[in-house]
mmCIF file with all atom_site columns, all heavy atoms in Angstrom:
data_model
loop_
_atom_site.group_PDB
_atom_site.id
_atom_site.type_symbol
_atom_site.label_atom_id
_atom_site.label_alt_id
_atom_site.label_comp_id
_atom_site.label_asym_id
_atom_site.label_entity_id
_atom_site.label_seq_id
_atom_site.pdbx_PDB_ins_code
_atom_site.Cartn_x
_atom_site.Cartn_y
_atom_site.Cartn_z
_atom_site.occupancy
_atom_site.B_iso_or_equiv
_atom_site.pdbx_formal_charge
_atom_site.auth_seq_id
_atom_site.auth_comp_id
_atom_site.auth_asym_id
_atom_site.auth_atom_id
_atom_site.pdbx_PDB_model_num
ATOM 1   N N   . PRO A 1 1  ? 0.813   -1.215 0.003  1.00 78.00 ? 15 PRO A N   1
ATOM 2   C CA  . PRO A 1 1  ? 0.005   -0.016 0.013  1.00 78.00 ? 15 PRO A CA  1
ATOM 3   C C   . PRO A 1 1  ? 0.860   1.250  -0.003 1.00 78.00 ? 15 PRO A C   1
ATOM 4   O O   . PRO A 1 1  ? 1.854   1.343  0.694  1.00 78.00 ? 15 PRO A O   1
ATOM 5   C CB  . PRO A 1 1  ? -0.795  -0.120 1.298  1.00 78.00 ? 15 PRO A CB  1
ATOM 6   C CG  . PRO A 1 1  ? -0.858  -1.619 1.567  1.00 78.00 ? 15 PRO A CG  1
ATOM 7   C CD  . PRO A 1 1  ? 0.458   -2.149 1.085  1.00 78.00 ? 15 PRO A CD  1
ATOM 8   N N   . ASP A 1 2  ? 0.460   2.221  -0.798 1.00 80.00 ? 16 ASP A N   1
ATOM 9   C CA  . ASP A 1 2  ? 1.160   3.510  -0.896 1.00 80.00 ? 16 ASP A CA  1
ATOM 10  C C   . ASP A 1 2  ? 0.879   4.329  0.367  1.00 80.00 ? 16 ASP A C   1
ATOM 11  O O   . ASP A 1 2  ? -0.243  4.813  0.551  1.00 80.00 ? 16 ASP A O   1
ATOM 12  C CB  . ASP A 1 2  ? 0.676   4.255  -2.132 1.00 80.00 ? 16 ASP A CB  1
ATOM 13  C CG  . ASP A 1 2  ? 1.520   5.483  -2.437 1.00 80.00 ? 16 ASP A CG  1
ATOM 14  O OD1 . ASP A 1 2  ? 2.150   6.029  -1.514 1.00 80.00 ? 16 ASP A OD1 1
ATOM 15  O OD2 . ASP A 1 2  ? 1.514   5.933  -3.606 1.00 80.00 ? 16 ASP A OD2 1
ATOM 16  N N   . GLN A 1 3  ? 1.865   4.450  1.240  1.00 82.00 ? 17 GLN A N   1
ATOM 17  C CA  . GLN A 1 3  ? 1.651   5.127  2.501  1.00 82.00 ? 17 GLN A CA  1
ATOM 18  C C   . GLN A 1 3  ? 1.295   6.605  2.328  1.00 82.00 ? 17 GLN A C   1
ATOM 19  O O   . GLN A 1 3  ? 0.670   7.191  3.205  1.00 82.00 ? 17 GLN A O   1
ATOM 20  C CB  . GLN A 1 3  ? 2.929   4.989  3.377  1.00 82.00 ? 17 GLN A CB  1
ATOM 21  C CG  . GLN A 1 3  ? 3.312   3.579  3.719  1.00 82.00 ? 17 GLN A CG  1
ATOM 22  C CD  . GLN A 1 3  ? 2.221   2.869  4.489  1.00 82.00 ? 17 GLN A CD  1
ATOM 23  O OE1 . GLN A 1 3  ? 1.595   3.439  5.385  1.00 82.00 ? 17 GLN A OE1 1
ATOM 24  N NE2 . GLN A 1 3  ? 1.983   1.592  4.154  1.00 82.00 ? 17 GLN A NE2 1
ATOM 25  N N   . ARG A 1 4  ? 1.696   7.181  1.201  1.00 85.00 ? 18 ARG A N   1
ATOM 26  C CA  . ARG A 1 4  ? 1.384   8.609  1.016  1.00 85.00 ? 18 ARG A CA  1
ATOM 27  C C   . ARG A 1 4  ? -0.076  8.855  0.675  1.00 85.00 ? 18 ARG A C   1
ATOM 28  O O   . ARG A 1 4  ? -0.584  9.935  0.933  1.00 85.00 ? 18 ARG A O   1
ATOM 29  C CB  . ARG A 1 4  ? 2.233   9.153  -0.133 1.00 85.00 ? 18 ARG A CB  1
ATOM 30  C CG  . ARG A 1 4  ? 3.745   9.097  0.107  1.00 85.00 ? 18 ARG A CG  1
ATOM 31  C CD  . ARG A 1 4  ? 4.504   9.304  -1.192 1.00 85.00 ? 18 ARG A CD  1
ATOM 32  N NE  . ARG A 1 4  ? 4.153   8.273  -2.179 1.00 85.00 ? 18 ARG A NE  1
ATOM 33  C CZ  . ARG A 1 4  ? 4.641   8.230  -3.411 1.00 85.00 ? 18 ARG A CZ  1
ATOM 34  N NH1 . ARG A 1 4  ? 5.455   9.191  -3.844 1.00 85.00 ? 18 ARG A NH1 1
ATOM 35  N NH2 . ARG A 1 4  ? 4.292   7.279  -4.245 1.00 85.00 ? 18 ARG A NH2 1
ATOM 36  N N   . SER A 1 5  ? -0.748  7.838  0.177  1.00 90.00 ? 19 SER A N   1
ATOM 37  C CA  . SER A 1 5  ? -2.113  8.065  -0.290 1.00 90.00 ? 19 SER A CA  1
ATOM 38  C C   . SER A 1 5  ? -3.130  7.035  0.225  1.00 90.00 ? 19 SER A C   1
ATOM 39  O O   . SER A 1 5  ? -4.270  7.055  -0.193 1.00 90.00 ? 19 SER A O   1
ATOM 40  C CB  . SER A 1 5  ? -2.143  8.027  -1.829 1.00 90.00 ? 19 SER A CB  1
ATOM 41  O OG  . SER A 1 5  ? -1.695  6.778  -2.319 1.00 90.00 ? 19 SER A OG  1
ATOM 42  N N   . ILE A 1 6  ? -2.718  6.160  1.158  1.00 91.00 ? 20 ILE A N   1
ATOM 43  C CA  . ILE A 1 6  ? -3.577  5.081  1.588  1.00 91.00 ? 20 ILE A CA  1
ATOM 44  C C   . ILE A 1 6  ? -4.884  5.597  2.166  1.00 91.00 ? 20 ILE A C   1
ATOM 45  O O   . ILE A 1 6  ? -5.982  5.022  1.934  1.00 91.00 ? 20 ILE A O   1
ATOM 46  C CB  . ILE A 1 6  ? -2.873  4.143  2.578  1.00 91.00 ? 20 ILE A CB  1
ATOM 47  C CG1 . ILE A 1 6  ? -3.777  2.919  2.902  1.00 91.00 ? 20 ILE A CG1 1
ATOM 48  C CG2 . ILE A 1 6  ? -2.455  4.878  3.817  1.00 91.00 ? 20 ILE A CG2 1
ATOM 49  C CD1 . ILE A 1 6  ? -4.075  2.032  1.745  1.00 91.00 ? 20 ILE A CD1 1
ATOM 50  N N   . GLY A 1 7  ? -4.841  6.656  2.924  1.00 89.00 ? 21 GLY A N   1
ATOM 51  C CA  . GLY A 1 7  ? -6.064  7.205  3.506  1.00 89.00 ? 21 GLY A CA  1
ATOM 52  C C   . GLY A 1 7  ? -7.065  7.655  2.459  1.00 89.00 ? 21 GLY A C   1
ATOM 53  O O   . GLY A 1 7  ? -8.249  7.248  2.469  1.00 89.00 ? 21 GLY A O   1
ATOM 54  N N   . THR A 1 8  ? -6.614  8.437  1.519  1.00 92.00 ? 22 THR A N   1
ATOM 55  C CA  . THR A 1 8  ? -7.476  8.897  0.426  1.00 92.00 ? 22 THR A CA  1
ATOM 56  C C   . THR A 1 8  ? -7.908  7.731  -0.463 1.00 92.00 ? 22 THR A C   1
ATOM 57  O O   . THR A 1 8  ? -9.063  7.666  -0.865 1.00 92.00 ? 22 THR A O   1
ATOM 58  C CB  . THR A 1 8  ? -6.729  9.933  -0.423 1.00 92.00 ? 22 THR A CB  1
ATOM 59  O OG1 . THR A 1 8  ? -6.327  11.025 0.405  1.00 92.00 ? 22 THR A OG1 1
ATOM 60  C CG2 . THR A 1 8  ? -7.619  10.475 -1.539 1.00 92.00 ? 22 THR A CG2 1
ATOM 61  N N   . ASP A 1 9  ? -6.983  6.822  -0.747 1.00 94.00 ? 23 ASP A N   1
ATOM 62  C CA  . ASP A 1 9  ? -7.294  5.682  -1.597 1.00 94.00 ? 23 ASP A CA  1
ATOM 63  C C   . ASP A 1 9  ? -8.456  4.855  -1.014 1.00 94.00 ? 23 ASP A C   1
ATOM 64  O O   . ASP A 1 9  ? -9.407  4.490  -1.715 1.00 94.00 ? 23 ASP A O   1
ATOM 65  C CB  . ASP A 1 9  ? -6.095  4.763  -1.755 1.00 94.00 ? 23 ASP A CB  1
ATOM 66  C CG  . ASP A 1 9  ? -5.047  5.309  -2.727 1.00 94.00 ? 23 ASP A CG  1
ATOM 67  O OD1 . ASP A 1 9  ? -5.383  6.281  -3.435 1.00 94.00 ? 23 ASP A OD1 1
ATOM 68  O OD2 . ASP A 1 9  ? -3.943  4.750  -2.755 1.00 94.00 ? 23 ASP A OD2 1
ATOM 69  N N   . ALA A 1 10 ? -8.335  4.542  0.295  1.00 94.00 ? 24 ALA A N   1
ATOM 70  C CA  . ALA A 1 10 ? -9.329  3.689  0.920  1.00 94.00 ? 24 ALA A CA  1
ATOM 71  C C   . ALA A 1 10 ? -10.696 4.365  0.957  1.00 94.00 ? 24 ALA A C   1
ATOM 72  O O   . ALA A 1 10 ? -11.725 3.753  0.663  1.00 94.00 ? 24 ALA A O   1
ATOM 73  C CB  . ALA A 1 10 ? -8.892  3.307  2.335  1.00 94.00 ? 24 ALA A CB  1
ATOM 74  N N   . ILE A 1 11 ? -10.711 5.636  1.291  1.00 93.00 ? 25 ILE A N   1
ATOM 75  C CA  . ILE A 1 11 ? -11.991 6.379  1.337  1.00 93.00 ? 25 ILE A CA  1
ATOM 76  C C   . ILE A 1 11 ? -12.613 6.434  -0.050 1.00 93.00 ? 25 ILE A C   1
ATOM 77  O O   . ILE A 1 11 ? -13.816 6.225  -0.217 1.00 93.00 ? 25 ILE A O   1
ATOM 78  C CB  . ILE A 1 11 ? -11.777 7.771  1.937  1.00 93.00 ? 25 ILE A CB  1
ATOM 79  C CG1 . ILE A 1 11 ? -11.410 7.656  3.421  1.00 93.00 ? 25 ILE A CG1 1
ATOM 80  C CG2 . ILE A 1 11 ? -13.051 8.623  1.799  1.00 93.00 ? 25 ILE A CG2 1
ATOM 81  C CD1 . ILE A 1 11 ? -11.027 8.984  4.045  1.00 93.00 ? 25 ILE A CD1 1
ATOM 82  N N   . ASP A 1 12 ? -11.810 6.743  -1.050 1.00 95.00 ? 26 ASP A N   1
ATOM 83  C CA  . ASP A 1 12 ? -12.317 6.816  -2.390 1.00 95.00 ? 26 ASP A CA  1
ATOM 84  C C   . ASP A 1 12 ? -12.912 5.477  -2.853 1.00 95.00 ? 26 ASP A C   1
ATOM 85  O O   . ASP A 1 12 ? -13.982 5.424  -3.454 1.00 95.00 ? 26 ASP A O   1
ATOM 86  C CB  . ASP A 1 12 ? -11.206 7.234  -3.384 1.00 95.00 ? 26 ASP A CB  1
ATOM 87  C CG  . ASP A 1 12 ? -10.816 8.684  -3.224 1.00 95.00 ? 26 ASP A CG  1
ATOM 88  O OD1 . ASP A 1 12 ? -11.556 9.429  -2.544 1.00 95.00 ? 26 ASP A OD1 1
ATOM 89  O OD2 . ASP A 1 12 ? -9.785  9.082  -3.814 1.00 95.00 ? 26 ASP A OD2 1
ATOM 90  N N   . PHE A 1 13 ? -12.199 4.371  -2.524 1.00 96.00 ? 27 PHE A N   1
ATOM 91  C CA  . PHE A 1 13 ? -12.629 3.065  -2.994 1.00 96.00 ? 27 PHE A CA  1
ATOM 92  C C   . PHE A 1 13 ? -13.935 2.643  -2.303 1.00 96.00 ? 27 PHE A C   1
ATOM 93  O O   . PHE A 1 13 ? -14.867 2.197  -2.981 1.00 96.00 ? 27 PHE A O   1
ATOM 94  C CB  . PHE A 1 13 ? -11.552 2.010  -2.769 1.00 96.00 ? 27 PHE A CB  1
ATOM 95  C CG  . PHE A 1 13 ? -11.847 0.744  -3.501 1.00 96.00 ? 27 PHE A CG  1
ATOM 96  C CD1 . PHE A 1 13 ? -11.501 0.576  -4.845 1.00 96.00 ? 27 PHE A CD1 1
ATOM 97  C CD2 . PHE A 1 13 ? -12.474 -0.327 -2.867 1.00 96.00 ? 27 PHE A CD2 1
ATOM 98  C CE1 . PHE A 1 13 ? -11.792 -0.603 -5.535 1.00 96.00 ? 27 PHE A CE1 1
ATOM 99  C CE2 . PHE A 1 13 ? -12.770 -1.515 -3.533 1.00 96.00 ? 27 PHE A CE2 1
ATOM 100 C CZ  . PHE A 1 13 ? -12.405 -1.645 -4.867 1.00 96.00 ? 27 PHE A CZ  1
ATOM 101 N N   . ILE A 1 14 ? -14.014 2.766  -0.986 1.00 96.00 ? 28 ILE A N   1
ATOM 102 C CA  . ILE A 1 14 ? -15.211 2.319  -0.304 1.00 96.00 ? 28 ILE A CA  1
ATOM 103 C C   . ILE A 1 14 ? -16.387 3.208  -0.647 1.00 96.00 ? 28 ILE A C   1
ATOM 104 O O   . ILE A 1 14 ? -17.531 2.741  -0.674 1.00 96.00 ? 28 ILE A O   1
ATOM 105 C CB  . ILE A 1 14 ? -15.003 2.226  1.213  1.00 96.00 ? 28 ILE A CB  1
ATOM 106 C CG1 . ILE A 1 14 ? -14.694 3.580  1.861  1.00 96.00 ? 28 ILE A CG1 1
ATOM 107 C CG2 . ILE A 1 14 ? -13.929 1.192  1.548  1.00 96.00 ? 28 ILE A CG2 1
ATOM 108 C CD1 . ILE A 1 14 ? -14.598 3.542  3.360  1.00 96.00 ? 28 ILE A CD1 1
ATOM 109 N N   . ALA A 1 15 ? -16.140 4.487  -0.930 1.00 95.00 ? 29 ALA A N   1
ATOM 110 C CA  . ALA A 1 15 ? -17.241 5.368  -1.353 1.00 95.00 ? 29 ALA A CA  1
ATOM 111 C C   . ALA A 1 15 ? -17.783 4.933  -2.708 1.00 95.00 ? 29 ALA A C   1
ATOM 112 O O   . ALA A 1 15 ? -18.989 4.902  -2.928 1.00 95.00 ? 29 ALA A O   1
ATOM 113 C CB  . ALA A 1 15 ? -16.770 6.820  -1.419 1.00 95.00 ? 29 ALA A CB  1
ATOM 114 N N   . GLU A 1 16 ? -16.861 4.583  -3.643 1.00 94.00 ? 30 GLU A N   1
ATOM 115 C CA  . GLU A 1 16 ? -17.321 4.110  -4.956 1.00 94.00 ? 30 GLU A CA  1
ATOM 116 C C   . GLU A 1 16 ? -18.107 2.805  -4.855 1.00 94.00 ? 30 GLU A C   1
ATOM 117 O O   . GLU A 1 16 ? -18.988 2.534  -5.692 1.00 94.00 ? 30 GLU A O   1
ATOM 118 C CB  . GLU A 1 16 ? -16.118 3.914  -5.887 1.00 94.00 ? 30 GLU A CB  1
ATOM 119 C CG  . GLU A 1 16 ? -15.416 5.206  -6.303 1.00 94.00 ? 30 GLU A CG  1
ATOM 120 C CD  . GLU A 1 16 ? -16.242 6.061  -7.253 1.00 94.00 ? 30 GLU A CD  1
ATOM 121 O OE1 . GLU A 1 16 ? -17.234 5.567  -7.761 1.00 94.00 ? 30 GLU A OE1 1
ATOM 122 O OE2 . GLU A 1 16 ? -15.856 7.233  -7.453 1.00 94.00 ? 30 GLU A OE2 1
ATOM 123 N N   . SER A 1 17 ? -17.817 1.987  -3.844 1.00 94.00 ? 31 SER A N   1
ATOM 124 C CA  . SER A 1 17 ? -18.556 0.737  -3.650 1.00 94.00 ? 31 SER A CA  1
ATOM 125 C C   . SER A 1 17 ? -19.924 0.957  -3.026 1.00 94.00 ? 31 SER A C   1
ATOM 126 O O   . SER A 1 17 ? -20.700 0.015  -2.911 1.00 94.00 ? 31 SER A O   1
ATOM 127 C CB  . SER A 1 17 ? -17.744 -0.217 -2.775 1.00 94.00 ? 31 SER A CB  1
ATOM 128 O OG  . SER A 1 17 ? -17.817 0.123  -1.404 1.00 94.00 ? 31 SER A OG  1
ATOM 129 N N   . GLY A 1 18 ? -20.199 2.193  -2.614 1.00 94.00 ? 32 GLY A N   1
ATOM 130 C CA  . GLY A 1 18 ? -21.433 2.466  -1.880 1.00 94.00 ? 32 GLY A CA  1
ATOM 131 C C   . GLY A 1 18 ? -21.279 2.169  -0.395 1.00 94.00 ? 32 GLY A C   1
ATOM 132 O O   . GLY A 1 18 ? -22.240 1.918  0.295  1.00 94.00 ? 32 GLY A O   1
ATOM 133 N N   . PHE A 1 19 ? -20.022 2.208  0.098  1.00 96.00 ? 33 PHE A N   1
ATOM 134 C CA  . PHE A 1 19 ? -19.689 1.895  1.493  1.00 96.00 ? 33 PHE A CA  1
ATOM 135 C C   . PHE A 1 19 ? -20.094 0.452  1.838  1.00 96.00 ? 33 PHE A C   1
ATOM 136 O O   . PHE A 1 19 ? -20.560 0.175  2.916  1.00 96.00 ? 33 PHE A O   1
ATOM 137 C CB  . PHE A 1 19 ? -20.314 2.901  2.466  1.00 96.00 ? 33 PHE A CB  1
ATOM 138 C CG  . PHE A 1 19 ? -19.816 4.303  2.270  1.00 96.00 ? 33 PHE A CG  1
ATOM 139 C CD1 . PHE A 1 19 ? -20.567 5.217  1.587  1.00 96.00 ? 33 PHE A CD1 1
ATOM 140 C CD2 . PHE A 1 19 ? -18.543 4.653  2.713  1.00 96.00 ? 33 PHE A CD2 1
ATOM 141 C CE1 . PHE A 1 19 ? -20.097 6.507  1.380  1.00 96.00 ? 33 PHE A CE1 1
ATOM 142 C CE2 . PHE A 1 19 ? -18.073 5.946  2.501  1.00 96.00 ? 33 PHE A CE2 1
ATOM 143 C CZ  . PHE A 1 19 ? -18.827 6.855  1.835  1.00 96.00 ? 33 PHE A CZ  1
ATOM 144 N N   . VAL A 1 20 ? -19.860 -0.449 0.868  1.00 95.00 ? 34 VAL A N   1
ATOM 145 C CA  . VAL A 1 20 ? -20.102 -1.873 1.085  1.00 95.00 ? 34 VAL A CA  1
ATOM 146 C C   . VAL A 1 20 ? -18.767 -2.596 1.310  1.00 95.00 ? 34 VAL A C   1
ATOM 147 O O   . VAL A 1 20 ? -18.687 -3.490 2.149  1.00 95.00 ? 34 VAL A O   1
ATOM 148 C CB  . VAL A 1 20 ? -20.845 -2.491 -0.104 1.00 95.00 ? 34 VAL A CB  1
ATOM 149 C CG1 . VAL A 1 20 ? -21.083 -3.978 0.109  1.00 95.00 ? 34 VAL A CG1 1
ATOM 150 C CG2 . VAL A 1 20 ? -22.189 -1.776 -0.328 1.00 95.00 ? 34 VAL A CG2 1
ATOM 151 N N   . CYS A 1 21 ? -17.747 -2.233 0.574  1.00 96.00 ? 35 CYS A N   1
ATOM 152 C CA  . CYS A 1 21 ? -16.445 -2.903 0.688  1.00 96.00 ? 35 CYS A CA  1
ATOM 153 C C   . CYS A 1 21 ? -15.747 -2.508 1.998  1.00 96.00 ? 35 CYS A C   1
ATOM 154 O O   . CYS A 1 21 ? -15.808 -1.381 2.451  1.00 96.00 ? 35 CYS A O   1
ATOM 155 C CB  . CYS A 1 21 ? -15.537 -2.549 -0.483 1.00 96.00 ? 35 CYS A CB  1
ATOM 156 S SG  . CYS A 1 21 ? -16.078 -3.238 -2.058 1.00 96.00 ? 35 CYS A SG  1
ATOM 157 N N   . ASN A 1 22 ? -15.036 -3.470 2.571  1.00 97.00 ? 36 ASN A N   1
ATOM 158 C CA  . ASN A 1 22 ? -14.288 -3.280 3.789  1.00 97.00 ? 36 ASN A CA  1
ATOM 159 C C   . ASN A 1 22 ? -13.033 -2.463 3.507  1.00 97.00 ? 36 ASN A C   1
ATOM 160 O O   . ASN A 1 22 ? -12.255 -2.814 2.622  1.00 97.00 ? 36 ASN A O   1
ATOM 161 C CB  . ASN A 1 22 ? -13.918 -4.640 4.385  1.00 97.00 ? 36 ASN A CB  1
ATOM 162 C CG  . ASN A 1 22 ? -13.239 -4.548 5.721  1.00 97.00 ? 36 ASN A CG  1
ATOM 163 O OD1 . ASN A 1 22 ? -12.127 -4.059 5.819  1.00 97.00 ? 36 ASN A OD1 1
ATOM 164 N ND2 . ASN A 1 22 ? -13.910 -5.060 6.747  1.00 97.00 ? 36 ASN A ND2 1
ATOM 165 N N   . ALA A 1 23 ? -12.827 -1.382 4.256  1.00 96.00 ? 37 ALA A N   1
ATOM 166 C CA  . ALA A 1 23 ? -11.689 -0.471 4.013  1.00 96.00 ? 37 ALA A CA  1
ATOM 167 C C   . ALA A 1 23 ? -10.356 -1.155 4.109  1.00 96.00 ? 37 ALA A C   1
ATOM 168 O O   . ALA A 1 23 ? -9.430  -0.865 3.343  1.00 96.00 ? 37 ALA A O   1
ATOM 169 C CB  . ALA A 1 23 ? -11.756 0.714  4.966  1.00 96.00 ? 37 ALA A CB  1
ATOM 170 N N   . ALA A 1 24 ? -10.184 -2.073 5.075  1.00 95.00 ? 38 ALA A N   1
ATOM 171 C CA  . ALA A 1 24 ? -8.885  -2.734 5.258  1.00 95.00 ? 38 ALA A CA  1
ATOM 172 C C   . ALA A 1 24 ? -8.676  -3.804 4.195  1.00 95.00 ? 38 ALA A C   1
ATOM 173 O O   . ALA A 1 24 ? -7.551  -4.020 3.729  1.00 95.00 ? 38 ALA A O   1
ATOM 174 C CB  . ALA A 1 24 ? -8.816  -3.350 6.648  1.00 95.00 ? 38 ALA A CB  1
ATOM 175 N N   . ALA A 1 25 ? -9.745  -4.520 3.805  1.00 95.00 ? 39 ALA A N   1
ATOM 176 C CA  . ALA A 1 25 ? -9.620  -5.603 2.833  1.00 95.00 ? 39 ALA A CA  1
ATOM 177 C C   . ALA A 1 25 ? -9.402  -5.089 1.418  1.00 95.00 ? 39 ALA A C   1
ATOM 178 O O   . ALA A 1 25 ? -8.756  -5.757 0.618  1.00 95.00 ? 39 ALA A O   1
ATOM 179 C CB  . ALA A 1 25 ? -10.862 -6.490 2.894  1.00 95.00 ? 39 ALA A CB  1
ATOM 180 N N   . TYR A 1 26 ? -9.904  -3.887 1.106  1.00 96.00 ? 40 TYR A N   1
ATOM 181 C CA  . TYR A 1 26 ? -9.862  -3.434 -0.294 1.00 96.00 ? 40 TYR A CA  1
ATOM 182 C C   . TYR A 1 26 ? -9.263  -2.060 -0.481 1.00 96.00 ? 40 TYR A C   1
ATOM 183 O O   . TYR A 1 26 ? -9.094  -1.612 -1.617 1.00 96.00 ? 40 TYR A O   1
ATOM 184 C CB  . TYR A 1 26 ? -11.293 -3.432 -0.873 1.00 96.00 ? 40 TYR A CB  1
ATOM 185 C CG  . TYR A 1 26 ? -11.916 -4.775 -0.885 1.00 96.00 ? 40 TYR A CG  1
ATOM 186 C CD1 . TYR A 1 26 ? -12.899 -5.124 0.037  1.00 96.00 ? 40 TYR A CD1 1
ATOM 187 C CD2 . TYR A 1 26 ? -11.552 -5.714 -1.820 1.00 96.00 ? 40 TYR A CD2 1
ATOM 188 C CE1 . TYR A 1 26 ? -13.469 -6.383 0.034  1.00 96.00 ? 40 TYR A CE1 1
ATOM 189 C CE2 . TYR A 1 26 ? -12.122 -6.994 -1.834 1.00 96.00 ? 40 TYR A CE2 1
ATOM 190 C CZ  . TYR A 1 26 ? -13.086 -7.312 -0.911 1.00 96.00 ? 40 TYR A CZ  1
ATOM 191 O OH  . TYR A 1 26 ? -13.645 -8.569 -0.922 1.00 96.00 ? 40 TYR A OH  1
ATOM 192 N N   . GLY A 1 27 ? -8.920  -1.352 0.585  1.00 95.00 ? 41 GLY A N   1
ATOM 193 C CA  . GLY A 1 27 ? -8.417  0.014  0.463  1.00 95.00 ? 41 GLY A CA  1
ATOM 194 C C   . GLY A 1 27 ? -7.079  0.125  -0.245 1.00 95.00 ? 41 GLY A C   1
ATOM 195 O O   . GLY A 1 27 ? -6.697  1.205  -0.687 1.00 95.00 ? 41 GLY A O   1
#
């Protein structure tokens, strides 16, 4: 995981999933 962007990456991804995907499993 890219430590510089992991926070933004995870939020962006789970938001695109409709907050269904687990942030740790898919972020």
Side-chain angles (χ1 to χ4, degrees):
D16 189 338
Q17 299 300 320
R18 298 165 300 178
S19 60
I20 185 62
T22 302
D23 283 349
I25 292 173
D26 288 348
F27 192 84
I28 63 175
E30 292 289 348
S31 78
F33 297 102
V34 179
C35 291
N36 184 293
Y40 299 104

